[in-house]
Amino acid sequence: MNEALIRSLTPGVLGILVRRGADFAAAEDAVQDALVEAVRVWPTDPPRDPKGWLVTVAWRRFLDATRADAARRRREDRVDEEPAPGPAPAVDDTLQLYFLCAHPSLTPASAVALTLRAVGGLTTRQIAQAYLVPEATMAQRISRAKRTVSGVRLDQPGDVATVLRVLYLVFNEGYSGDVDLAAEAIRLTRQLAAAIDHPEAAGLLALMLLHHARRATRTAPDGSLVPLAEQDRGRWDTESIAEGVEILQAALARDRLGEFQAQAAIAALHADAPTAEETDWVQIVEWYDELTRLTDSPVVRLNRAVAVGEADGPRAGLAALAALDPALPRHTAVAAYLHERDGDPARAARLYAEAAHKAPTLAERDHLTRQAARLNARR
């Protein structure tokens, strides 16, 4: 197979799909699928018209993906905006697809990326942002995953841990990203928690419910972000909070702690505080210590620095922050917040402005810009 020929044809095939009405991201994914198929088929059955073959296969892949996306959205439309408490009323094949995409032949990271793209409906860019890697790197990872499973039978479901990771990332994108998938993620996690005896499935469900309970207060009517300390706690969904806490307590009682249970415990402590000032930050730091032990995640360490700043004072928080890589996403925003609390508004304003330039979303950029302007106005 002439790989140079394929590379030369790719831009033209992509352009044809776009002219036919496909948006660029969807067309790019469809062409990637066609290239994977070409790698598999062409060595033994080369086409007489390579470009025509690629256009035909890519267009079919685009139509298949469009139909699958439409079907997924119809399923989401059947779900109430606020998930009802209690057992899931019905089971469809979506959760099974999650397990099948988490195939044993794939590494967990590749399985998660493939499932988010193929079943979760997230774009390559959204998945890359969730993993804190460049979009091109994630595109290559997804393409490799597709090549890996193209020649195997999808009759061996993946492990629960991988599926839980996928559901967690889908919820995060739906909770704070561009696509509303939070309710769908909760629905599927309910099904999973009801179907298997797994403390982390229960922990993930509790975490989702506790976060979702605060969702209505996360943004102002104009779309601007509202920090947790400033949210109207009277508007939090107390029914979801109560259910989440009950599920979490049952999971913790089994003494098989996992990262989702630890995260849910932190969310429960925030939900339990009548006011921001009454938050039990000392206990939150202890749970972040457990979470650091379980995951050794730099993002967890960053959040822990914020909690240490609240529990032991901003100087202690800045000391914890100093041990982390400054290139870590949102590191600058955390530094700005802690310096403001430490009584250095000039430095905080400068850091808020710097963080705004690095912000991954428009809403976050606007929030950080307003924080910088607020401090500069006082000078």
Side-chain angles (χ1 to χ4, degrees), residues 260-298:
F260 295 128
Q261 296 170 67
Q263 287 189 58
I266 293 169
L269 287 167
H270 283 298
D272 185 57
T275 65
E277 293 72 23
E278 295 174 88
T279 303
D280 189 347
W281 286 107
V282 172
Q283 194 172 168
I284 287 176
V285 171
E286 292 174 356
W287 276 111
Y288 271 121
D289 289 339
E290 289 287 349
L291 195 53
T292 301
R293 180 181 61 80
L294 290 166
T295 66
D296 196 28
S297 163

Side-chain angles (χ1 to χ4, degrees), residues 34-346:
L35 295 179
V36 171
E37 186 69 5
V39 170
R40 187 179 71 85
V41 172
W42 285 15
T44 57
D45 186 18
R48 285 180 292 180
D49 179 8
K51 183 174 182 179
W53 189 97
L54 285 171
V55 169
T56 300
V57 173
W59 184 248
R60 287 174 180 167
R61 291 290 193 274
F62 167 72
L63 292 177
D64 289 344
T66 300
R67 295 188 188 104
D69 187 61
R72 176 182 60 78
R73 292 184 182 280
R74 285 195 297 271
R75 288 196 300 269
E76 291 174 15
D77 289 341
R78 293 196 296 265
V79 181
D80 291 336
E81 183 176 349
E82 295 299 328
V91 178
D92 56 29
D93 62 351
T94 307
L95 192 57
Q96 183 181 7
L97 290 175
Y98 273 70
F99 272 94
L100 290 176
C101 283
H103 196 271
S105 63
L106 297 173
T107 64
S110 294
V112 170
L114 178 62
T115 312
L116 290 171
R117 184 69 192 94
V119 187
L122 274 62
T123 66
T124 303
R125 176 174 297 178
Q126 289 167 332
I127 301 169
Q129 289 175 344
Y131 269 90
L132 309 179
V133 300
E135 185 176 355
T137 300
M138 184 54 64
Q140 292 175 354
R141 184 180 299 177
I142 294 172
S143 293
R144 285 196 299 268
K146 290 176 180 177
R147 285 197 297 272
T148 299
V149 300
S150 64
V152 301
R153 292 173 57 86
L154 292 178
D155 56 359
Q156 302 179 56
D159 69 327
V160 172
T162 299
V163 174
L164 288 172
R165 175 64 52 187
V166 174
L167 289 168
Y168 173 65
L169 291 173
V170 169
F171 176 81
N172 277 349
E173 186 59 42
Y175 183 70
S176 59
D178 300 325
V179 184
D180 189 358
L181 296 170
E184 173 72 350
I186 291 175
R187 183 181 73 86
L188 293 173
T189 306
R190 281 193 189 282
Q191 290 183 6
L192 184 59
I196 62 173
D197 184 21
H198 196 298
E200 276 292 81
L204 178 58
L205 178 57
L207 175 63
M208 289 178 175
L209 290 169
L210 288 164
H211 277 310
H212 205 67
R214 305 197 304 257
R215 188 175 187 187
T217 64
R218 291 184 68 251
T219 56
D222 62 0
S224 59
L225 293 180
V226 179
L228 176 61
E230 299 173 19
Q231 291 174 14
D232 181 357
R233 297 177 182 232
R235 294 176 57 208
W236 287 358
D237 183 348
T238 55
E239 189 174 351
S240 290
I241 291 173
E243 184 188 6
V245 169
E246 181 180 0
I247 292 171
L248 173 63
Q249 288 174 339
L252 291 175
R254 301 179 62 180
D255 198 24
R256 290 170 54 193
L257 184 64
E259 64 171 296
F260 295 128
Q261 296 170 67
Q263 287 189 58
I266 293 169
L269 287 167
H270 283 298
D272 185 57
T275 65
E277 293 72 23
E278 295 174 88
T279 303
D280 189 347
W281 286 107
V282 172
Q283 194 172 168
I284 287 176
V285 171
E286 292 174 356
W287 276 111
Y288 271 121
D289 289 339
E290 289 287 349
L291 195 53
T292 301
R293 180 181 61 80
L294 290 166
T295 66
D296 196 28
S297 163
V299 175
V300 170
R301 292 181 183 274
L302 182 68
N303 291 332
R304 179 186 178 277
V306 176
V308 169
E310 299 291 350
D312 301 326
R315 294 285 175 90
L318 287 167
L321 187 66
L324 303 178
D325 184 355
L328 190 66
R330 298 186 173 88
H331 183 284
T332 308
V334 170
Y337 173 74
L338 291 172
H339 277 293
E340 180 183 358
R341 289 201 60 229
D342 193 39
D344 190 349

Side-chain angles (χ1 to χ4, degrees), residues 345-367:
R347 187 172 185 179
R350 188 168 60 252
L351 288 170
Y352 275 130
E354 181 183 337
H357 288 292
K358 304 176 183 178
T361 67
L362 179 61
E364 190 170 341
R365 186 187 70 190
D366 290 346
H367 172 73

